[in-house]
Amino acid sequence: MKTMLSFFKAVLRMAKPWVAWVALMMTTNMVTPIFFIDRVEAQVVLITTMASAALMVLIFAKKGFVRLLGLGHVLWVPMIFWLLTRVGLASPVTWFEKWIVAVIVVSGLSVIIDAVDVIRYARGERAPTVPFHS
């Protein structure tokens, strides 16, 4: 629990635009699914996001707040592809469909950002992006 709290404290110490981005991701992938929780898509998004967060906390515990944290969103890749089969992107009509499109867009952008971060980590950029304090 202490590690999780330290992780979220570190998130809040990121530059303000990144904090806003994390807030958007959390709203899209953890809060909004609750409104559609009776739908399998919402359950999958919520469970996948919680599993990704747990993976990121594990990486944080071992390495600190480094670019490798982007690896935590690898679970989103199959989720995004599955969601693409669940809704028509061309003309979402219901709030549920609009939410799925939002998840695809926000999570997809995050996966791209994360892939760049993981590549940068693999190439040697291993310094913490936010100092680690317990």
Side-chain angles (χ1 to χ4, degrees), residues 1 7 40 44 48 97 105 120 131:
M1 184 62 129
F7 174 74
V40 68
V44 167
T48 303
E97 291 170 324
V105 170
R120 288 174 69 178

Side-chain angles (χ1 to χ4, degrees), residues 27-100:
T27 300
T28 305
N29 292 356
M30 293 186 86
V31 176
T32 308
I34 295 168
F35 295 101
F36 303 113
I37 201 64
D38 60 324
R39 304 285 302 257
V40 68
E41 296 86 353
Q43 295 164 17
V44 167
V45 169
L46 191 56
I47 290 167
T48 303
T49 302
M50 290 170 58
S52 292
L55 180 55
M56 292 175 84
V57 170
L58 287 173
I59 295 168
F60 174 77
K62 297 285 185 192
K63 303 285 186 180
F65 208 92
V66 296
R67 295 186 184 281
L68 189 59
L69 287 172
L71 193 58
H73 289 149
V74 70
L75 301 174
W76 287 4
V77 174
M79 177 190 77
I80 292 166
F81 281 106
W82 178 71
L83 287 173
L84 284 166
T85 69
R86 307 299 285 183
V87 68
L89 293 175
S91 58
V93 177
T94 66
W95 283 109
F96 176 72
E97 291 170 324
K98 291 176 184 181
W99 167 72
I100 290 179

